[in-house]
């Protein structure tokens, strides 16, 4: 099969890779219908995370089941399925509590690499959720988004306790932040403030439900949020970047007693316990348990109540994955869809 491999910072190649085979009796093999580049893929691409030799890339996936292991009972060949970037058994006590991304048997799909024509999915029964039927082509981008960025944005909004009567601020205008705005809207938030300096992203944020746009960053961004909320700060704040500035901006934009949902993969973030103590702000986040939300999200997409696939503003064939990475790195694209 063909698949994307990162050799060194900035060096993405699409090359021949061995077709995946069933290793465990709980595995499934998928023929991917589409794949994509994630903002978190840019950390190793930029050299912020180390690259230890050629590494298969990708962790978002949706496609048709080709083969299943002998112990797989709920997933069948021919089904169209969506899975999380963490494979999980969905039966352990942690999974049952709704935190499948911390499953005791979890497997990170990024170690397998799903920017490819085929993919092996461990723990198939617990990881994969089937659609009611084979989807029409126009739903595939949205179903693919559910695999990570929609589920992550949704978890961020839930962790921030977005809901009726709440003002929600979103720090980060990448795909996750934009879909956190969509999630906050679906959860009934009264007001949604998107923090963005980029007009196309601002427009999409409004389409997803944002009521206000704040272009300022850092302390100026905090001051603007306070100004818009009567000096108190937002009830709920989503942090979807993972930098020191974005985390502090999120915490300081939250009113006492409010909630921060943080899902940006942290790099170099250090927090003052003393500041947290006196802020009286709740912090909750981490790797999103996407599997918790997949049935609901697939249902919303299938019934065309939401269209998260709009975050894909660049579509390229898999063979041009390197250009997809470059476009996202240079902020010429929000998110790249790779067609198979």
């Amino acid at each position: 099969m063909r698949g994307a491999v990162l050799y060194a910072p900035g060096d993405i190649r699409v090359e021949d890779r061995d077709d995946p085979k069933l290793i465990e009796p709980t595995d499934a093999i998928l023929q991917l219908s589409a794949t994509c580049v994630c903002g978190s893929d840019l950390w190793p691409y930029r050299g912020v995370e180390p690259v230890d030799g050629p590494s298969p890339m990708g962790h978002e996936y949706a496609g048709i089941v080709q083969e299943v292991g002998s112990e797989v009972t709920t997933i069948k060949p021919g089904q169209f399925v969506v899975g999380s970037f963490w494979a999980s058994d969905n039966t352990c006590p942690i999974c049952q509590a709704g935190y499948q991304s911390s499953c005791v048997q979890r497997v990170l799909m990024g170690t397998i690499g799903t920017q490819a024509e085929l993919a092996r999915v461990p723990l198939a029964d617990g990881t994969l959720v089937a659609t009611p039927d084979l989807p029409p082509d126009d739903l595939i981008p949205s179903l693919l988004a559910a695999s990570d960025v929609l589920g992550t944005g949704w978890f961020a909004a839930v962790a921030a306790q977005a809901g009726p009567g709440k003002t929600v601020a979103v720090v980060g205008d990448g795909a996750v932040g934009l879909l956190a705005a969509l999630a906050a809207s679906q959860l009934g938030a009264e007001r949604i403030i998107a923090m963005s300096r980029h007009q196309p992203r601002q427009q999409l944020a409004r389409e997803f439900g944002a009521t206000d746009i704040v272009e300022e960053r850092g302390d100026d961004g905090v001051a603007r949020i306070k100004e818009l909320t009567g000096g108190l700060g937002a009830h709920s704040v989503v942090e979807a970047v993972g930098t020191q500035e974005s985390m502090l901006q999120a915490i300081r934009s939250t009113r006492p007693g409010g909630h921060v949902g943080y899902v940006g993969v942290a790099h170099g973030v250090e927090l003052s316990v003393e500041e947290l103590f006196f802020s009286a702000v709740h912090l909750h986040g981490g790797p999103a348990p996407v599997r918790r939300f997949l049935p609901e999200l697939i249902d919303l997409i299938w019934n065309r109540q939401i269209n998260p696939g709009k975050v894909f503003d660049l579509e390229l064939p898999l063979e041009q994955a390197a250009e997809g990475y470059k476009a996202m790195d240079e902020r010429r694209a929000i998110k790249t869809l790779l067609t198979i």
Side-chain angles (χ1 to χ4, degrees), residues 18 23-25 46 64 88 160 168 183 188 194 201 259 301:
D18 290 339
I23 297 174
E24 301 291 339
R46 291 169 172 160
I64 297 174
S88 58
V168 181
R201 299 174 188 234
H259 294 76
I301 292 165

Side-chain angles (χ1 to χ4, degrees), residues 164-178:
K166 299 286 187 68
T167 293
V168 181
V170 180
V171 180
D173 63 358
V176 170
L178 291 169

Side-chain angles (χ1 to χ4, degrees), residues 87-135:
S88 58
D89 62 25
N90 207 34
T91 59
C92 79
I94 306 301
C95 287
Q96 290 296 295
Y99 287 85
Q100 293 90 338
S101 52
S102 296
C103 173
V104 297
Q105 295 194 72
R106 68 180 182 176
V107 178
L108 183 59
M109 291 299 297
T111 62
I112 292 171
T114 63
Q115 289 166 11
E117 296 173 320
L118 301 165
R120 179 180 70 89
V121 180
L123 304 168
D125 279 335
T127 302
L128 300 174
V129 179
T131 55
D133 202 344
L134 294 180

Side-chain angles (χ1 to χ4, degrees), residues 49-66:
E49 292 178 359
V51 180
D52 185 17
S55 302
M57 295 298 290
H59 53 264
E60 297 159 282
Y61 56 101
I64 297 174
V65 179
Q66 297 293 296

Side-chain angles (χ1 to χ4, degrees), residues 286-299:
V290 171
R291 178 61 181 81
R292 186 206 305 182
F293 307 107
L294 271 180
E296 179 183 3
L297 300 181
I298 288 172
D299 185 64

